[in-house]
Amino acid sequence: MTSSGHSVPARNGEHGVSVISASSHQRIVHIPNILPHERVFPIQIGTELFKLSGASLSSDAPSYFSQYFLCQLKQASDAGQDASTAIRTLYIDRDPVTFKDISLHLQGYHVRPRDATHLVRLFADAQFYSLPKLMSQLYEEPIHITIGSTPFQIPREIFSLSGPGNTPNFFTLGFAIFFSNPEDLFPGLDKEGLIRPPSIVAPNVPNRSAEVFQELLHMLRGYPVKIRDERHRQELLRDCRYFNFKGLEQRLIPHEKGFNQVRGREEIVLGLRDIMKSGISVANEPVEGDPLAGWVNYARPYADDKAMELVLEIGEEATRLHIGPGGKDVRAEFFTDIKAKMAKLFDVIATKLNLPSSTQLSGLLMAKGGMGSEPPTSRDTLLSEDLIRVILDPEASITLDGQPWTADDSDQTAHPSLPAHETVNSTPGTTFPSASSSGGPSTAETPNSINLSTNPSSSQQPNHQQSSPLDENPNPRKRRRLDSSPPYGVTTTVPTSPLGGEQWIVKTGQWRLRIQSVNNTKNASSPLTSNPAKASSVVECCLVAVKLDALSSERRRNERRGFLGG
């Protein structure tokens, strides 16, 4: 290697240095003989005069310069004039500072843009002077852009090398001027009689964070970024969506993958809002009597190479469970925009199942008003296919009012809001303390109350809970429920469900989605079927509880409230 940076060919390939062939050498150093290489041509750019040899001007030709001086030489030759006296100075009213870099390029030096403004000016003048080699070189240069107030140089190949889903993006689409055909930098602009190129503003995105974008670039290069907290994750996701880095977004969304040894399969936990249509699939696991049985699986687009069993997380207190007597029939109802998202999810699942037109997916009808085509009755309004079947799996982890809950054969099964060691007498005719002036108890009939007593004659027995609030009560929790004076004359009862049981508010729940056929006879007699004649050939999507955090009443919800500012 010489001091000038050129490789010296070794004799007979010694030291492992490749010998440059004559044809390759000609391609590297050959300059077309467009203008006389030894002649000097004057060019004035703005207030500065540049003198370049014919070899330099011919090195990137045909160009505005080569054509201009070639015409002068031809006119001098036709008129029989001396070329040295016939050549006139070419004057162009452009920036001499930018042309200094262009002249270095013509003299054989590699010119690299320093920043976005420099790149824009080189691009514009290279197009204006019609310098094909310089335009092609700049076309391959990194993207220079300012994010916030920080300049960035982004290699163009980083998007394709970072994995699928990250292109097209904000840069390949929004800044097409830097990714367009080098021969047509100003598409649609008539160059005939063009005095100067149009003004171009350097690429700048002032409304995004430079620190966040730096972390995104770090991830695009293949390095991990530690997520400090949920706020940090949302900042990264927000800018991923802004720049349309779809592959990177899927890697950043909250998720958890793992192998479930008990079930013998891989699982992925995802929030409902992060589910994408293209990632949903159904794994068919037929059982005896049900060839359509299966589980909903999911693979993150651009991120996962195989589907895993989906555990769907739904929060925001948007789920209500309607629990029938004895807890044998449980249904889920959704609110806010979660209901619409669940309807879309079921619609996608039905599409993935390729169900025949005569087969319906129960739960898909949340957005369609029930299974029957006739107008819903008052009962259908409460008990329609808006309520999705729920299976409280014995292995599910359920926390109710901050305490673990499990279903058993005790009174807790009928009233799951209480721990196993507590019971409640809530038969019709239960007496609650009133706010009357006498201070005595008053009896209020509560037709929606749940009869939890196993003794048919319990309603005839004296109710010891009707005693004065001043009496001793060994169970303080039960005492608090009955000794409170409800305001405005409202009777305090456990929230009841249209199914005849009670209701839970699910703050956050994790569910598996099971596909199963509905027994025709059972489905026809189901209170949720408004048209038994149309109840055949129904495939049901059930929610199988995995982990629930639920509340049994407004009081329990209020107990978990926090105050503003901590």
Side-chain angles (χ1 to χ4, degrees):
M1 184 74 71
T2 65
S3 59
S4 61
H6 297 287
S7 297
V8 178
R11 293 186 299 274
N12 300 323
E14 62 179 350
H15 306 302
V17 180
S18 301
V19 178
I20 301 176
S21 64
S23 59
S24 299
H25 184 71
Q26 283 185 348
R27 286 196 300 269
I28 293 173
V29 301
H30 176 69
I31 298 177
N33 193 18
I34 297 177
L35 293 174
H37 289 187
E38 69 284 353
R39 189 172 294 279
V40 176
F41 298 90
I43 303 174
Q44 183 166 348
I45 305 296
T47 58
E48 292 192 28
L49 180 63
F50 296 85
K51 293 183 179 182
L52 297 174
S53 68
S56 295
L57 295 179
S58 299
S59 65
D60 195 355
S63 66
Y64 181 84
F65 309 115
S66 65
Q67 294 300 105
Y68 175 81
F69 291 113
L70 192 61
C71 289
Q72 286 198 5
L73 290 176
K74 188 176 183 302
Q75 291 175 1
S77 177
D78 293 342
Q81 298 177 353
D82 183 8
S84 60
T85 59
I87 294 176
R88 298 186 301 273
T89 300
L90 172 62
Y91 175 78
I92 302 176
D93 190 14
R94 295 296 290 171
D95 178 30
V97 176
T98 303
F99 191 79
K100 284 182 180 179
D101 293 318
I102 293 178
S103 66
L104 290 174
H105 160 75
L106 293 173
Q107 291 167 346
Y109 296 98
H110 181 82
V111 177
R112 184 180 296 276
R114 295 183 292 273
D115 51 36
T117 301
H118 190 211
L119 174 64
V120 164
R121 292 181 177 180
L122 285 175
F123 242 113
D125 280 6
Q127 173 72 14
F128 183 65
Y129 300 140
S130 299
L131 298 171
K133 289 185 179 179
L134 181 57
M135 283 191 293
S136 181
Q137 174 191 318
L138 294 175
Y139 178 74
E140 302 296 333
E141 287 290 329
I143 303 168
H144 290 255
I145 188 171
T146 301
I147 307 292
S149 58
T150 304
F152 288 89
Q153 294 186 26
I154 308 172
R156 294 177 186 265
E157 66 274 8
I158 192 174
F159 304 123
S160 58
L161 298 178
S162 61
N166 294 318
T167 184
N169 54 50
F170 176 87
F171 304 97
T172 60
L173 297 175
F175 286 85
I177 182 174
F178 297 106
F179 288 82
S180 60
N181 189 332
E183 299 177 357
D184 190 18
L185 181 60
F186 308 115
L189 181 65
D190 185 9
K191 299 182 178 63
E192 287 295 328
L194 183 65
I195 298 178
R196 59 171 59 94
S199 176
I200 304 176
V201 179
N204 184 25
V205 187
N207 59 337
R208 311 316 293 179
S209 168
E211 291 77 11
V212 173
F213 186 74
Q214 181 65 59
E215 291 179 310
L216 294 182
L217 279 183
H218 199 60
M219 295 189 68
L220 288 173
R221 293 187 177 103
Y223 295 97
V225 171
K226 182 179 180 180
I227 307 298
R228 296 186 293 271
D229 49 37
E230 189 57 29
R231 179 178 178 181
H232 181 214
R233 183 191 300 275
Q234 293 304 319
E235 289 177 350
L236 294 172
L237 283 171
R238 183 171 57 248
D239 279 12
C240 268
R241 296 177 181 122
Y242 183 88
F243 295 114
N244 204 38
F245 297 149
K246 293 181 179 179
L248 198 55
E249 177 189 355
Q250 289 300 307
R251 290 160 51 189
L252 283 170
I253 59 174
H255 69 282
E256 183 177 324
K257 296 194 300 183
F259 182 77
N260 188 326
Q261 296 188 24
V262 178
R263 297 176 61 82
R265 65 195 68 185
E266 289 185 283
E267 297 178 332
I268 181 169
V269 183
L270 275 175
L272 175 62
R273 297 187 182 277
D274 296 322
I275 296 294
M276 296 186 67
K277 176 180 178 180
S278 58
I280 298 173
S281 61
V282 177
N284 185 247
E285 294 186 10
V287 296
E288 184 177 355
D290 189 359
L292 296 179
W295 298 90
V296 175
N297 287 10
Y298 190 82
R300 293 173 299 160
Y302 315 116
D304 295 327
D305 54 359
K306 61 180 179 179
M308 294 158 281
E309 188 171 87
L310 174 63
V311 178
L312 184 66
E313 183 170 308
I314 305 174
E316 307 175 29
E317 292 190 20
T319 309
R320 177 186 294 167
L321 294 187
H322 298 269
I323 304 174
K328 296 181 179 180
D329 189 11
V330 184
R331 303 284 171 141
E333 182 181 7
F334 299 98
F335 299 88
T336 66
D337 62 331
I338 296 295
K339 179 174 181 178
K341 290 185 178 297
M342 286 297 293
K344 291 180 180 178
L345 174 62
F346 277 53
D347 192 10
V348 173
I349 294 173
T351 303
K352 300 291 183 178
L353 286 172
N354 295 319
L355 297 177
S357 58
S358 60
T359 304
Q360 293 175 314
L361 178 63
S362 178
L364 174 64
L365 302 173
M366 288 193 300
K368 300 181 180 178
M371 294 184 64
S373 58
E374 63 275 354
T377 64
S378 59
R379 179 173 178 81
D380 291 333
T381 304
L382 296 176
L383 297 178
S384 68
E385 287 300 319
D386 285 1
L387 306 184
I388 301 175
R389 187 181 302 277
V390 169
I391 299 175
L392 297 182
D393 192 282
E395 298 296 326
S397 172
I398 301 178
T399 301
L400 185 65
D401 298 331
Q403 300 182 15
W405 176 89
T406 55
D408 51 34
D409 295 330
S410 65
D411 287 344
Q412 184 183 355
T413 303
H415 198 297
S417 64
L418 296 179
H421 67 276
E422 294 189 24
T423 59
V424 61
N425 185 0
S426 187
T427 60
T430 298
T431 301
F432 294 91
S434 69
S436 60
S437 58
S438 62
S442 63
T443 300
E445 293 295 330
T446 56
N448 291 330
S449 301
I450 308 172
N451 189 345
L452 302 179
S453 175
T454 57
N455 187 352
S457 61
S458 61
S459 60
Q460 306 299 326
Q461 297 177 359
N463 191 338
H464 299 291
Q465 294 180 359
Q466 299 179 10
S467 58
S468 168
L470 298 177
D471 294 343
E472 292 292 332
N473 193 327
N475 193 331
R477 176 179 174 181
K478 188 189 307 178
R479 179 69 169 267
R480 285 198 301 272
R481 293 182 61 145
L482 298 176
D483 286 357
S484 303
S485 298
Y488 315 116
V490 178
T491 302
T492 302
T493 61
V494 176
T496 58
S497 163
L499 292 173
E502 67 170 287
Q503 299 176 2
W504 290 358
I505 301 171
V506 180
K507 292 177 65 67
T508 305
Q510 291 183 349
W511 314 86
R512 292 187 179 93
L513 279 71
R514 175 165 177 79
I515 306 298
Q516 63 185 26
S517 301
V518 179
N519 184 277
N520 290 345
T521 304
K522 180 180 178 180
N523 188 70
S525 60
S526 172
L528 300 184
T529 304
S530 57
N531 189 349
K534 299 182 179 181
S536 61
S537 300
V538 174
V539 177
E540 187 175 50
C541 186
C542 304
L543 297 179
V544 181
V546 176
K547 185 173 184 178
L548 303 181
D549 181 11
L551 303 171
S552 63
S553 65
E554 177 69 11
R555 179 191 293 269
R556 300 305 180 193
R557 183 177 185 274
N558 291 339
E559 287 175 354
R560 298 181 64 171
R561 285 181 182 269
F563 292 102
L564 297 179

